[in-house]
Amino acid sequence: MGMSKENKPIVLTVILLAAAFVVFFANRLLPQNSIFPSRSGDLTILLWLFFAIDVGFIVALVLGVRTKKPSVVWFSIIANSIFFALLSGLIFLLAIANGISEP
């Protein structure tokens, strides 16, 4: 009852997108227990989590390109490239904000 090889990149992309939204809105979902960003304004945990998700988009892109179905290949190239670029921009902006907030 495993997942077919063609569907793995699509499912991975959806899971990574959901994880990115959860990490992004975690401070609003759980404000009393939130560790990102901490009271001191340190964004390093948030940066590392987004970096791991960004690497996941690259992995999903590679898995999608290696499949045989052209629709999965095109979806993987377009969706993962867009999500990778947007998340990389967010990581860059967070890194700048983290650098500015450091004493």
Side-chain angles (χ1 to χ4, degrees):
M1 295 248 30
M3 192 182 323
S4 69
K5 187 178 178 182
E6 286 84 19
N7 293 335
K8 283 183 183 178
I10 296 172
V11 171
L12 183 59
T13 301
V14 171
I15 290 172
L16 289 169
L17 187 61
F21 277 111
V22 167
V23 170
F24 188 76
F25 291 114
N27 199 22
R28 292 183 188 247
L29 295 174
L30 303 168
Q32 67 276 9
N33 300 351
S34 184
I35 58 172
F36 13 72
S38 63
R39 300 252 185 243
S40 63
D42 188 24
L43 299 173
T44 53
I45 295 172
L46 199 62
L47 283 168
W48 283 109
L49 288 173
F50 278 135
F51 179 72
I53 294 170
D54 217 16
V55 170
F57 282 128
I58 295 172
V59 170
L61 177 70
V62 170
L63 287 175
V65 170
R66 294 179 61 189
T67 60
K68 303 284 187 215
K69 289 176 72 174
S71 60
V72 174
V73 172
W74 282 108
F75 172 80
S76 179
I77 290 172
I78 293 170
N80 288 316
S81 298
I82 290 171
F83 295 145
F84 175 77
L86 291 174
L87 194 56
S88 294
L90 179 65
I91 290 171
F92 177 71
L93 293 174
L94 282 173
I96 290 174
N98 193 35
I100 291 172
S101 69
E102 292 290 322

